[in-house]
Amino acid sequence: MILKKIGAWMIALSMVSTMAACGAEKGDGKATATETESSSETTTEESETTELELFMSKPETAEIMEQIAAKFCEENPGVKINVTSSSDGRTVLQTRLASDDVPDILNTFPAEDLYKNIFREGYIEEITDQEFLSKVNSDTLKMSACDDKYYAVPMSVSTYGIYVNMDVLEANGITEAPSTWDELIADCKTLKDKGVTAFLMPNKDVGNVAQRFERTVGVINNDSYSEFKKIADGEMEAKDSPTLNAWVEYNTELLEYTNEDHMGMDYDIAVADFSNGKAAFMFSGTWMLSTVKENNPDANVKLIAFPNPTGGETKVPINIDTSFSISSTCKNKEIGLKFLEYMTQTDIAQMYCDVDGNVSLIEGVEYNVEQHKDMKTAVDSGNIFLTAVNFWPDGLREEIRPYCQQYLGDGDKEAFFEGAQDAIVTIYSDNE
């Protein structure tokens, strides 16, 4: 089976784990009232406790999910939910699936090919007939279907672009955020002349590099799948791909205005530095806002569209972002389904949306995020496209990312095109 194949691209990962448990004190080392009951009573209570894992591939929202899980536990005595998270959730999840260690509850991305394969292979419980799905925006709900069935509750839609620190721009005489590629480069030159870093790129983080490649390639060519298929079929070579050449060219240009330590910088450090005014621009999506606020509640930032560097039409990439599913092996499916329903309650969905920063899909939730005004306008006007990871064959983003990272480090175009050629041919062939 597809998900049982763990490719050579996998790297060693560590999981950051956090806990959301009912009735427990944090950090004081004292026993709670429950823990000081008689041994017979403790044994009885423990036997009646349902303990489930909630795995998050979005570590930036792990903290709010701890709070929501704790609230759920308070309202459902005898339930304990452990929240775990990873910054490279796709890889971690595939590793766990291969060893039949599937989380009870997990956030999924139902429009993506990887997750559709997970659904088809029976790892996730079908929820097509659940009444709580009626609380989800109907158009987006349809986008999350797999073979006309539902396996996830879509909570939000993410958009991707360039975050702008407006205080940095204004401090250097730039009064408006750029809207075209030429304006972006002009701003970068102005900042460089003043000794200011324009872009922060966390190129140590291969997962971030992979996502950046996939999202921006989509802006360059909304139908990159077809072009890459030509490469796989021998009708074109990667070195002749207009899309891949445009990706190389724009990165070559931006690297002139990027932080010198970009190959040694990880995502968390980059967000912290950006939030505190150490650069003007950073690639990311609506989900980053929560981390920006954690680092600097007063940060004056906004998310703008990534201008098509070819001069062609600029559209905003979107993806069905946070969605929740339960596994077919969930230790208590009744509780698991109850938690999914809980996430569709207006007050709980609002609680999540306020931190997540993405456009909520749950009825009754208000979305008034000033920093994402331009993104909401793009979504409302239809100036969007479903991002490429939903169409590329499973594993392409991960297979090609080492060559993207290598290029950002050494600028060797020939090596990049050779690597991209091998990655595309391999993955398209494996998925035929």
Side-chain angles (χ1 to χ4, degrees):
M1 293 188 294
I2 293 173
L3 293 173
K4 298 293 185 179
K5 300 176 182 177
I6 304 300
W9 49 266
M10 281 201 176
I11 57 178
L13 297 162
S14 60
M15 278 186 83
V16 177
S17 298
T18 51
M19 305 292 282
C22 303
E25 298 290 338
K26 288 189 177 181
D28 59 6
K30 299 177 181 178
T32 64
T34 298
E35 292 170 331
T36 56
E37 299 290 345
S38 68
S39 59
S40 61
E41 291 175 326
T42 300
T43 301
T44 300
E45 182 167 331
E46 287 177 350
S47 67
E48 295 175 352
T49 297
T50 297
E51 185 169 347
L52 303 177
E53 179 193 3
L54 167 57
F55 176 69
M56 294 295 297
S57 298
K58 290 170 59 67
E60 67 273 13
T61 59
E63 183 175 350
I64 187 61
M65 287 310 301
E66 290 176 36
Q67 296 174 27
I68 290 173
K71 185 175 173 64
F72 177 82
C73 292
E74 290 172 3
E75 298 175 17
N76 294 273
V79 178
K80 179 179 180 181
I81 296 180
N82 303 321
V83 180
T84 59
S85 67
S86 170
S87 61
D88 196 0
R90 290 169 61 91
T91 302
V92 172
L93 181 59
Q94 288 183 99
T95 302
R96 293 185 61 173
L97 292 175
S99 58
D100 293 321
D101 177 26
V102 190
D104 301 294
I105 309 169
L106 61 160
N107 82 279
T108 53
F109 300 88
E112 297 184 11
D113 193 51
L114 167 66
Y115 289 91
K116 287 182 178 179
N117 286 333
I118 294 174
F119 301 156
R120 291 176 180 130
E121 291 183 10
Y123 290 104
I124 303 299
E125 188 77 5
E126 183 190 341
I127 60 171
T128 304
D129 297 329
Q130 295 298 318
E131 178 62 28
F132 54 74
L133 290 178
S134 64
K135 299 179 182 179
V136 181
N137 175 281
S138 59
D139 290 337
T140 312
L141 179 64
K142 292 175 184 176
M143 292 171 63
S144 73
C146 176
D147 303 330
D148 299 321
K149 298 177 182 179
Y150 296 109
Y151 298 84
V153 183
M155 295 288 296
S156 62
V157 172
S158 66
T159 62
Y160 189 90
I162 299 175
Y163 267 98
V164 184
N165 190 313
M166 293 303 298
D167 285 342
V168 174
L169 291 190
E170 291 167 6
N172 290 279
I174 304 171
T175 57
E176 295 183 2
S179 60
T180 67
W181 183 256
D182 288 344
E183 289 176 358
L184 177 64
I185 296 303
D187 288 348
C188 287
K189 289 179 178 177
T190 297
L191 293 167
K192 185 175 181 178
D193 289 345
K194 293 177 178 289
V196 178
T197 299
F199 265 90
L200 284 177
M201 291 190 182
N203 291 332
K204 179 182 179 180
D205 187 335
V206 70
N208 186 271
V209 170
Q211 183 182 66
R212 196 186 323 145
F213 170 77
E214 176 250 321
R215 294 297 200 271
T216 59
V217 157
V219 174
I220 292 166
N221 177 4
N222 298 164
D223 186 24
S224 57
Y225 171 88
S226 296
E227 185 174 306
F228 293 172
K229 183 68 165 59
K230 290 180 179 179
I231 295 172
D233 291 343
E235 298 174 17
M236 176 189 294
E237 292 188 11
K239 65 181 181 180
D240 299 319
S241 160
T243 301
L244 292 177
N245 273 282
W247 182 85
V248 166
E249 289 167 8
Y250 98 68
N251 275 286
T252 300
E253 194 162 13
L254 286 190
L255 285 170
E256 296 182 26
Y257 309 103
T258 303
N259 52 305
E260 293 182 359
D261 62 341
H262 62 94
M263 293 307 299
M265 175 175 278
D266 64 25
Y267 176 78
D268 290 337
I269 296 298
V271 178
D273 284 356
F274 171 81
S275 305
N276 291 294
K278 294 185 179 180
F281 304 112
M282 182 173 167
F283 284 103
S284 196
T286 37
W287 58 85
M288 192 178 94
L289 183 60
S290 59
T291 311
V292 170
K293 287 182 176 180
E294 288 175 7
N295 282 282
N296 181 3
D298 299 321
N300 180 17
V301 303
K302 64 185 296 186
L303 184 61
I304 65 171
F306 168 59
N308 191 331
T310 69
E313 183 181 16
T314 292
K315 287 190 174 183
V316 173
I318 69 163
N319 201 16
I320 298 177
D321 198 76
T322 305
S323 301
F324 287 100
S325 304
I326 65 169
S327 68
S328 56
T329 56
C330 179
K331 288 187 285 293
N332 189 318
K333 292 181 183 178
E334 182 179 352
I335 295 298
L337 289 170
K338 190 172 184 178
F339 185 80
L340 298 193
E341 182 178 20
Y342 191 70
M343 291 303 302
T344 66
Q345 291 182 193
T346 302
D347 59 332
I348 300 302
Q350 185 74 60
M351 186 176 172
Y352 183 82
C353 176
D354 289 344
V355 172
D356 179 43
N358 290 321
V359 179
S360 179
L361 302 173
I362 306 302
E363 65 179 21
V365 175
E366 296 183 3
Y367 187 79
N368 297 303
V369 181
E370 184 64 26
Q371 296 93 334
H372 297 159
K373 182 178 179 180
D374 290 353
M375 296 294 100
K376 191 172 190 304
T377 298
V379 172
D380 291 344
S381 65
N383 190 34
I384 55 177
F385 67 95
L386 195 59
T387 189
V389 74
N390 297 297
F391 305 103
W392 287 353
D394 180 34
L396 178 58
R397 190 168 75 168
E398 288 68 35
E399 189 77 14
I400 206 169
R401 66 186 186 179
Y403 308 110
C404 298
Q405 187 181 48
Q406 181 181 340
Y407 175 74
L408 294 171
D410 62 21
D412 188 335
K413 295 182 182 180
E414 184 177 346
F416 169 72
F417 288 128
E418 288 178 359
Q421 177 84 25
D422 290 343
I424 291 169
V425 171
T426 297
I427 294 298
Y428 273 76
S429 297
D430 286 351
N431 283 270
E432 286 183 353

